[in-house]
Amino acid sequence: MQAIIRRKFGVKNNIVELGGFLIDLTARTISYYNSVVNTITKKEFDLIAYLILHKNRTLTRMQLSEHIWGSVVNNDYDSNYIDAHIKNIRKKLNAYAPPDWLETVRGLGYKIKINV
């Protein structure tokens, strides 16, 4: 399954380096220069991994919600839980270094910038 995902999304390696952070998609870990970031939750890691798979592409809050939680509740369009998770990710990673690669696209959603 991992091989199919790598081919489909163009991920050449299971370990992605972003601004000093090493994100291991198989082991589901994030480290910063040999220091493991233990505070990232499963949902937060899922958000980061999904954004990496769609690198340099803006994903809407609806797309992120559908992927992470599996379905969309019609009356939940107003909720800010994706924003809250992104805020928590930034706060936790900022303890090590600013995650400049995690970008908010105002009015649309979020994306991870990876220079290829």
Side-chain angles (χ1 to χ4, degrees):
M1 196 65 169
Q2 292 292 329
I4 293 169
I5 290 171
R6 281 194 314 269
R7 282 194 304 270
K8 180 178 179 184
F9 294 105
V11 176
K12 305 280 188 262
N13 195 346
N14 286 331
I15 299 176
V16 178
E17 193 275 324
L18 295 169
F21 289 96
L22 288 177
I23 301 162
D24 188 333
L25 298 172
T26 304
R28 301 180 58 80
T29 60
I30 299 176
S31 59
Y32 183 75
Y33 293 114
N34 298 325
S35 180
V36 178
V37 180
N38 290 322
T39 57
I40 297 290
T41 66
K42 180 187 180 313
K43 293 291 185 193
E44 291 166 351
F45 188 88
D46 290 344
L47 276 171
I48 292 170
Y50 192 64
L51 286 165
I52 287 172
L53 290 177
H54 294 88
K55 61 186 180 242
N56 299 322
R57 182 175 155 218
T58 303
L59 296 177
T60 66
R61 288 166 185 83
M62 181 78 70
Q63 289 171 312
L64 293 169
S65 178
E66 279 182 22
H67 176 75
I68 304 302
W69 283 270
S71 64
V72 176
V73 180
N74 291 334
N75 61 357
D76 208 17
Y77 65 91
D78 229 9
S79 182
N80 69 339
Y81 58 90
I82 296 291
D83 301 330
H85 280 293
I86 295 292
K87 181 185 120 261
N88 290 337
I89 290 168
R90 284 191 174 123
K91 182 179 178 182
K92 291 173 182 179
L93 295 181
N94 265 327
Y96 299 88
D100 297 333
W101 40 267
L102 181 56
E103 181 180 317
T104 301
V105 180
R106 190 171 173 95
L108 293 176
Y110 299 95
K111 75 177 182 178
I112 286 186
K113 298 180 292 184
I114 298 177
N115 297 328
V116 184

